[in-house]
Amino acid sequence: MKKLSVLSLLLWMCAVYFVGIYLFVGGFLLVRLEVNRTSTCGDVLQPGEEPVDFCRVQPRFRRAVLLIIDALKIDFAWFDRNNTAPRPYENKLPVLEETVSSQPSHSRLYPFRADPPTTTMQRIKGFTTGSLPTFVDVGNNFASSAILEDNLIHQFGQVGKRVVFMGDDTWENLFPKKFHRSLPFPSFNVKDLHTVDNGILQHLYTTMVGDDWDVLVAHFLGVDHCGHRFGPDHPAMADKLTQMDGVIRSVIDRLQNDTLLVVMGDHGMTDTGDHGGESQKETDAAIFLYSPSPLFPGPPTQSEPDVVPQTDLVPTLALLLGVPIPYSSVGQVLLPLFPSHEQTEGAVGRLSQLEALWINAKQVNRFLETYSGMAKDIPPESLARLKADFSRLSSEYLAAVREGRPPSPQLAASLQAYLTSVRDTCRATWARFNPLKMAAGLAILAFACLTCFILSELSLVLIRENGPGLKAPVAVALISGVCVAACQVVTQGHVEAAWCLAAAALSSELLFLWRARRSRSITVEKNGSKAPKSWLTPRRLLIPPLLVPLLRCASLLSDSYVIAEGRAVTFLLFSLALYVPVHLNWDGLLLPPSHDPLKAAGFLPSPALPPSTVRKESSTLLACLGVLVGSLYLSLSFHACREEQGSCQPSPFLAPLSRLQNSQLKNLHYVLSVCSLGLWTYLLKRCLRHYGNLNSSGGTVFTARWVLPLLSVCLAFHWAVSATPEDSFRNLAELISLAQLALPRAAFGLLGLGLLLIWLDPLTVFVKPRASPSTRGSSLPPPPRYRASTGISPQAELHHLIPQIYQRMRRSLDDGELSGGGEVDSSPAVKAYGLGTVYSAPLLLFCGMLGVGLLLLHPEGMALSFLLLLLEMGALLHIHASSTTLSGLHGANSGGFNVPWTPVVLWSLAATQFFHATGHLPTFPSIQWGAAFVGFPDGHTGTVLPASLVTLNTFASHILFAVGCPLLLFWPLVCEVRGSRGGRACGEEGEDAVMEMRLRENPEQFSSALLQLSTRYLFLLGAQVFASVCAAAILRRHLMVWKVFAPKLMFEASGFLVSSVFLLIGVTLVLRVDVAVGSWFKRLVPEASR
């Protein structure tokens, strides 16, 4: 078997896809240009005859307290006196309503609307810089880097204000060494509801009564973590909100007259406690403003805003506290906090509404001019209109100031309209695209799909010695990359790696396609009319198995399809699976052929399979189709819901057991989960035992016998411990905490041990020599053949044993046949148990172990979904095997090992279908962040490990189907029926089933079939990525691009990366088994000859 050729071609194909994805994403998801300039006190001078240092004027407030209650959605803040049966999150903050009602001139409560993405780091950036985030910033939420743009914290430090911080350690990462004093607490452990909040409360009140601070920032995390862990509708949320109510009351009691209190949430949360997207439940937080001194002119009026954008907090706080507005802010001041022009006449240090708007507009116009000069991405007509508007408003305002007359009443409204227009323009244009990179990425991906398809069609030609190899394409790629790098150094003075990779990938693709076409032409000349002239004829492309993925790829241009993809893919999978028996019946292969007297008389050839075998295989196929349909139907019960699916209710199995309050329901879910896990383990061992793979003493058998059951037991105990409420078994609290740490880590250790043993010792073959005197004394050995016996050996309960004649074994050796006739005569026959499934057994166990490990990262209720996944995989494999057997009824099977398109397409659809059936969606709020804390309840010091755990959780179905993809090649051989391959009639001598040993008889066809299967699977995955890329590029100005198409692109690209890596792992494991089988034969034959 040509292992190096298969691996090198697959690695090259994956690398080309990676380059195309990297280029397109680099051009599509660019971060907006940051203006690294800082406002100074001279920038905001008020118009007048003599300039005044703005920062030296007495500000309206000397101090400010910012209480940030993470995920404080506006629904938590409202108080309804008529609600006699409030839910756990309702009416738990009465202090806000009481204060607003009793002191209307001192306080206000507003909805506080965030810009998506609604993740903590982006929200902190938003309400400290006043700028708008970009889509790609969401990826940095757990790898916070220092904010380089001008911001409030920097401005406070510039004017000498002492900022004291306590709470979420994200602030410390965003503003390193910017605080006068800081008390950060780890924020990533969403299961910890109290550490951060209790740490703040230990220092908050003592700090407030001291005199070593000017701005106090306290960021509470308990409400957010409670939402992630239990959801908002849980008694723990009522306790947290009640605690926050007490905190706000205590802070109000300690405020001085010159201090401003701001209580706010950074974002909201969904009904399941998640956030990150742009639904109104996620964007609408609450903001409460209060001061012991009068803050507003009077009670709320009709002119006050219904909603306050988060960016508006930045200029408002800056002007109230006497610091310059940060340079890049596009927010506008909250006017109700500033008195009218008449009320400020004669007042010292108090800005009127018009003066605040003028300073705000001047700052925004300055930023607009700077940014437009650097970025050149704001449409010229919009920029000209905004500049003309500011020039007109500036002239009107300055003329009124010079003449000493009051400005017109419409001027304030015009300034507000100008500020709103600037913000809207920036929001519309800050999706900066690089069309050249996007086009290069599209081209590389398009050629990659074409190359992958042709690679699958030419797999046998490429495997041969004289086939087009990779040496020339790789050499041309290196030369192209170096030439582009040299040109960049000469022309630009630096090297941009993206274009070097683009040149390398594109040149290698084009050369490979040219060489492949040339090789095809030579093959056509040799074979004459037998070889098809083209790979891309309609007859090859427009077949039902390829029409289904083509239809799906075209549907990715529709936001409605993306929203409903879970059910749509389920329908496509069901339809294509139903096509298999329909197609067989159409060809007359599903039912036994009718009795023909000519065949009985021997005038016509007999069918390849007897009627009983045909009936048996047809029954198996239809039964497996029933199992598949049942699994598909039940899997719909595990789907999550998107925001756009208004009436949809998420599956109750998605909630961890710790969220369930009904003890009986919790126990029922636990029993179902444990039974599903036990059945998963039993089915795997049952399958391995059935084919005789549990009798040797190797590492793989040890894993199946001991490591897999122990892993399942650890998982079951871990679920029980995780479901235990915190307030129960107080005497065993330390033991429970230890178990929460030890059990999952023990499971991780067992998983690693099992996978390592499978890799190091993959053979599951048990050899029993037969040294009978009659056999030794015979002069001629019997005809060499393999046989799969269905009897049970008295030495071991086995269903499949393969007697081997060593003359036949020698032909399988990689180093050629052994010499010497005496050796042949003295070679005893052996019984080799499990040899017929030598390739599939370790791969199947590898998938099973991996599945249990991935289940560990999911909520307990997903155990039943994983069991359905296993049943669906088994049903697809048996449908494929039965279809292959029935296709040989009239000699339709030519004896090769190639896997048709239909099972490969079904396999890829099943991977996507179970992505949704395990509770995942292509949206950021649906990411199950809790997976990062399985085995690490106290959090992480870095980001690589939690990111890896979350990735494994999110793409579990992609991983399992990618690793198990080679099973499509092996399963028809595993289920091989006597006489189903080859040309002999049933019952003829030597026509016994040999199962997977056929692969070693034809190493070239084995390599070709494995390469073809892998490239076909890669082609289907790559086509999905290419379709998502096209949808994002074509619809980049679509209303739903950042809500639907961009997240879909990110998930498809990530899924492809993960799937391709694990496909390579699966193929490499097959090659590892092949090496082990070859070594086993080499070792066994000489021993038997002695």
Side-chain angles (χ1 to χ4, degrees):
M1 184 178 182
K2 298 184 178 179
K3 307 169 188 63
L4 189 60
S5 298
V6 174
L7 265 185
S8 59
L9 285 167
L10 289 178
L11 283 170
W12 171 71
M13 200 69 257
C14 291
V16 170
Y17 271 115
F18 292 171
V19 171
I21 293 171
Y22 170 72
L23 274 169
F24 183 86
V25 170
F28 182 73
L29 300 178
L30 285 178
V31 180
R32 65 172 175 82
L33 182 65
E34 291 185 349
V35 179
N36 293 325
R37 297 193 184 182
T38 305
S39 298
T40 62
C41 295
D43 293 335
V44 289
L45 293 179
Q46 304 172 47
E49 296 180 358
E50 296 182 1
V52 179
D53 189 343
F54 177 80
C55 300
R56 293 187 180 275
V57 176
Q58 179 68 29
R60 183 170 175 188
F61 292 101
R62 186 173 66 89
R63 287 179 165 184
V65 177
L66 274 67
L67 298 184
I68 299 136
I69 302 176
D70 207 292
L72 181 66
K73 63 187 298 186
I74 187 61
D75 294 347
F76 298 170
W78 296 130
F79 188 87
D80 183 5
R81 299 182 185 276
N82 298 322
N83 189 352
T84 57
R87 303 177 78 171
Y89 60 85
E90 294 176 335
N91 289 2
K92 296 302 182 292
L93 293 172
V95 63
L96 305 181
E97 179 66 24
E98 292 171 6
T99 307
V100 171
S101 301
S102 60
Q103 304 180 64
S105 299
H106 296 252
S107 58
R108 286 288 191 278
L109 175 63
Y110 297 111
F112 196 40
R113 183 158 294 167
D115 290 292
T118 50
T119 49
T120 296
M121 190 196 77
Q122 282 68 39
R123 295 300 87 242
I124 296 174
K125 282 185 176 181
F127 60 68
T128 56
T129 65
S131 61
L132 300 173
T134 54
F135 176 84
V136 77
D137 279 346
V138 73
N140 298 324
N141 192 45
F142 301 110
S144 308
S145 55
I147 293 178
L148 302 178
E149 282 187 300
D150 195 10
N151 57 80
L152 282 175
I153 304 300
H154 175 75
Q155 289 296 337
F156 290 147
Q158 288 292 98
V159 300
K161 288 188 178 292
R162 297 161 297 178
V163 183
V164 175
F165 166 76
M166 52 189 71
D168 185 348
D169 61 355
T170 304
W171 288 75
E172 190 69 25
N173 297 325
L174 293 175
F175 306 103
K177 300 180 181 179
K178 294 289 185 180
F179 298 115
H180 176 68
R181 184 158 52 90
S182 66
L183 296 165
F185 299 93
S187 61
F188 194 49
N189 187 2
V190 295
K191 292 189 176 182
D192 184 358
L193 309 185
H194 308 296
T195 299
V196 177
D197 294 1
N198 292 342
I200 294 173
L201 295 178
Q202 289 177 4
H203 303 91
L204 177 62
Y205 305 131
T206 56
T207 301
M208 286 189 65
V209 298
D211 197 34
D212 64 338
W213 64 278
D214 296 300
V215 178
L216 175 58
V217 181
H219 191 145
F220 294 88
L221 287 175
V223 172
D224 178 67
H225 286 187
C226 184
H228 283 297
R229 183 172 181 183
F230 301 113
D233 200 6
H234 192 275
M237 182 63 76
D239 297 338
K240 263 295 154 193
L241 292 174
T242 301
Q243 182 189 28
M244 291 299 102
D245 184 79
V247 170
I248 297 170
R249 291 181 189 275
S250 300
V251 170
I252 288 176
D253 292 339
R254 290 171 171 81
L255 289 178
Q256 299 178 4
N257 288 336
D258 61 352
T259 305
L260 173 67
L261 171 64
V262 181
V263 180
M264 66 186 204
D266 56 343
H267 53 73
M269 67 170 64
T270 63
D271 293 337
T272 57
D274 300 312
H275 58 90
E278 55 181 291
S279 67
Q280 190 169 341
K281 292 181 179 180
E282 295 167 274
T283 59
D284 279 10
I287 183 168
F288 172 74
L289 302 166
Y290 173 81
S291 176
S293 59
L295 189 57
F296 297 90
T301 62
Q302 293 294 330
S303 62
E304 293 199 8
D306 296 326
V307 176
V308 175
Q310 276 192 358
T311 51
D312 292 0
L313 179 67
V314 174
T316 303
L317 278 182
L319 297 186
L320 289 176
L321 294 172
V323 300
I325 301 174
Y327 198 96
S328 299
S329 171
V330 292
Q332 61 177 286
V333 291
L334 187 56
L335 278 193
L337 285 164
F338 297 88
S340 63
H341 183 73
E342 295 79 11
Q343 293 173 318
T344 58
E345 290 182 344
V348 179
R350 297 193 68 178
L351 293 173
S352 68
Q353 292 183 351
L354 200 55
E355 289 170 332
L357 281 172
W358 162 252
I359 295 171
N360 194 181
K362 185 178 178 183
Q363 168 265 323
V364 167
N365 177 71
R366 178 194 59 188
F367 165 72
L368 190 63
E369 290 181 347
T370 304
Y371 182 84
S372 62
M374 297 171 62
K376 309 291 185 185
D377 59 350
I378 299 178
E381 59 277 8
S382 299
L383 189 61
R385 176 177 53 80
L386 291 172
K387 287 184 176 180
D389 289 346
F390 180 77
S391 178
R392 176 178 54 81
L393 295 172
S394 176
S395 300
E396 183 179 347
Y397 178 72
L398 292 176
V401 171
R402 282 196 302 268
E403 296 170 7
R405 58 179 173 81
S408 64
Q410 292 79 19
L411 184 58
S414 299
L415 285 170
Q416 282 185 291
Y418 166 77
L419 290 169
T420 302
S421 181
V422 171
R423 179 165 54 195
D424 292 343
T425 302
C426 290
R427 181 178 282 116
T429 59
W430 274 352
R432 290 185 62 240
F433 303 115
N434 187 326
L436 197 56
K437 277 190 177 181
M438 291 169 62
L442 275 167
I444 291 173
L445 285 173
F447 279 115
C449 290
L450 177 62
T451 305
C452 202
F453 181 83
I454 292 174
L455 196 58
S456 71
E457 298 297 312
L458 286 182
S459 57
L460 187 58
V461 175
L462 295 169
I463 288 298
R464 290 171 181 164
E465 293 292 342
N466 56 352
L470 279 180
K471 292 181 180 179
V474 170
V476 169
L478 290 174
I479 294 171
S480 302
V482 170
C483 290
V484 171
C487 293
Q488 287 180 334
V489 170
V490 172
T491 58
Q492 302 176 4
H494 67 277
V495 176
E496 190 174 354
W499 293 114
C500 300
L501 293 173
L506 200 56
S507 60
S508 66
E509 283 178 321
L510 293 175
L511 180 61
F512 184 86
L513 289 173
W514 178 77
R515 286 168 60 90
R517 180 178 177 82
R518 185 180 173 188
S519 298
R520 188 62 174 172
S521 301
I522 295 173
T523 305
V524 171
E525 290 175 3
K526 289 182 178 179
N527 298 336
S529 59
K530 293 181 180 180
K533 296 182 179 180
S534 176
W535 312 294
L536 303 178
T537 58
R539 186 178 179 182
R540 279 177 172 264
L541 295 176
L542 299 180
I543 56 177
L546 286 181
L547 284 176
V548 171
L550 181 64
L551 176 64
R552 184 189 168 206
C553 290
S555 301
L556 289 174
L557 288 163
S558 165
D559 58 334
S560 300
Y561 170 82
V562 176
I563 291 170
E565 186 180 32
R567 292 183 175 273
V569 169
T570 304
F571 170 76
L572 291 176
L573 179 57
F574 166 74
S575 302
L576 188 58
L578 195 61
Y579 161 79
V580 175
V582 171
H583 180 66
L584 288 171
N585 189 59
W586 181 269
D587 293 339
L589 302 175
L590 187 63
L591 299 175
S594 58
H595 178 73
D596 192 334
L598 293 178
K599 290 182 180 179
F603 294 107
L604 290 178
S606 301
L609 294 176
S612 61
T613 302
V614 174
R615 281 191 291 269
K616 179 182 177 182
E617 291 299 316
S618 299
S619 301
T620 302
L621 189 150
L622 295 176
C624 290
L625 183 62
V627 172
L628 177 65
V629 172
S631 300
L632 291 176
Y633 178 77
L634 291 175
S635 68
L636 294 174
S637 305
F638 298 90
H639 283 212
C641 294
R642 294 180 64 113
E643 173 218 344
E644 298 88 352
Q645 297 169 314
S647 59
C648 175
Q649 291 295 325
S651 170
F653 292 98
L654 292 173
L657 292 180
S658 57
R659 285 194 183 186
L660 299 180
Q661 302 173 49
N662 188 319
S663 299
Q664 292 183 346
L665 186 61
K666 181 184 289 189
N667 293 335
L668 177 61
H669 277 213
Y670 180 75
V671 170
L672 277 175
S673 300
V674 172
C675 290
S676 300
L677 178 62
L679 197 53
W680 172 288
T681 306
Y682 169 77
L683 289 175
L684 282 174
K685 293 188 66 176
R686 179 73 180 83
C687 181
L688 294 172
R689 184 180 294 110
H690 176 74
Y691 290 107
N693 296 113
L694 294 183
N695 297 278
S696 69
S697 57
T700 300
V701 176
F702 178 82
T703 299
R705 285 186 174 277
W706 299 105
V707 180
L708 179 60
L710 282 176
L711 178 60
S712 301
V713 169
C714 278
L715 194 52
F717 279 118
H718 167 64
W719 289 341
V721 171
S722 300
T724 304
E726 291 183 350
D727 55 352
S728 60
F729 305 106
R730 295 187 181 275
N731 296 332
L732 301 176
E734 293 185 3
L735 182 61
I736 291 175
S737 298
L738 179 63
Q740 288 178 340
L741 181 71
L743 285 172
R745 291 192 178 184
F748 286 138
L750 288 170
L751 176 64
L753 174 65
L755 297 181
L756 182 63
L757 288 174
I758 294 173
W759 184 267
L760 294 177
D761 188 11
L763 290 187
T764 57
V765 182
F766 173 65
V767 179
K768 180 180 181 297
R770 284 191 314 183
S772 61
S774 60
T775 303
R776 290 177 182 173
S778 62
S779 59
L780 292 173
R785 60 189 176 93
Y786 297 81
R787 185 173 75 251
S789 172
T790 56
I792 299 178
S793 168
Q795 288 78 15
E797 293 185 4
L798 304 170
H799 291 277
H800 291 266
L801 63 91
I802 300 182
Q804 298 282 341
I805 303 301
Y806 280 107
Q807 183 180 355
R808 186 66 171 263
M809 286 187 176
R810 290 194 187 96
R811 296 179 183 176
S812 301
L813 301 183
D814 293 337
D815 56 352
E817 293 192 2
L818 298 174
S819 59
E823 294 179 0
V824 175
D825 295 339
S826 62
S827 297
V830 298
K831 295 178 181 179
Y833 298 94
L835 193 58
T837 52
V838 67
Y839 292 102
S840 56
L843 185 61
L844 184 65
L845 183 60
F846 193 91
C847 288
M849 290 286 295
L850 205 55
V852 178
L854 293 171
L855 178 57
L856 176 62
L857 302 175
H858 283 76
E860 301 87 342
M862 287 296 104
L864 185 56
S865 178
F866 270 68
L867 178 62
L868 293 175
L869 181 148
L870 182 66
L871 293 176
E872 185 170 317
M873 290 179 76
L876 289 174
L877 289 171
H878 278 87
I879 289 172
H880 169 44
S882 297
S883 173
T884 303
T885 301
L886 291 171
S887 296
L889 181 61
H890 292 145
N893 196 316
S894 60
F897 307 116
N898 295 346
V899 181
W901 277 107
T902 302
V904 185
V905 175
L906 285 170
W907 202 255
S908 67
L909 288 174
T912 303
Q913 188 260 332
F914 259 98
F915 170 79
H916 293 271
T918 47
H920 298 290
L921 293 168
T923 62
F924 291 106
S926 69
I927 296 176
Q928 298 172 7
W929 300 109
F933 302 102
V934 176
F936 302 90
D938 297 326
H940 302 267
T941 55
T943 57
V944 175
L945 183 56
S948 301
L949 293 175
V950 172
T951 301
L952 292 173
N953 165 276
T954 304
F955 299 105
S957 65
H958 295 74
I959 291 170
L960 292 176
F961 280 94
V963 170
C965 186
L967 290 173
L968 292 171
L969 171 61
F970 302 131
W971 216 253
L973 298 169
V974 171
C975 301
E976 184 179 3
V977 177
R978 296 176 64 183
S980 62
R981 289 177 179 265
R984 301 181 186 179
C986 179
E988 201 172 321
E989 182 66 25
E991 191 50 31
D992 297 327
V994 303
M995 302 170 73
E996 292 173 8
M997 279 297 99
R998 288 189 185 274
L999 298 171
R1000 288 207 49 90
E1001 296 174 353
N1002 303 281
E1004 194 173 83
Q1005 288 191 11
F1006 184 11
S1007 302
S1008 168
L1010 186 60
L1011 177 63
Q1012 184 187 64
L1013 172 62
S1014 304
T1015 49
R1016 283 183 171 180
Y1017 193 69
L1018 270 181
F1019 169 76
L1020 294 172
L1021 297 177
Q1024 292 169 205
V1025 175
F1026 179 67
S1028 299
V1029 162
C1030 290
I1034 295 170
L1035 304 172
R1036 62 186 181 277
R1037 297 296 180 186
H1038 191 277
L1039 178 66
M1040 305 291 284
V1041 63
W1042 302 115
K1043 192 172 187 178
V1044 174
F1045 297 109
K1048 178 61 177 172
L1049 166 64
M1050 298 295 287
F1051 275 82
E1052 283 289 351
S1054 302
F1056 177 84
L1057 298 178
V1058 173
S1059 297
S1060 56
V1061 168
F1062 279 90
L1063 176 64
L1064 288 172
I1065 290 174
V1067 171
T1068 307
L1069 179 59
V1070 172
L1071 302 181
R1072 170 72 185 92
V1073 175
D1074 191 67
V1075 171
V1077 172
S1079 301
W1080 180 77
F1081 272 119
K1082 290 177 182 178
R1083 190 170 59 250
L1084 192 62
V1085 172
E1087 291 177 359
S1089 301
R1090 285 197 290 269

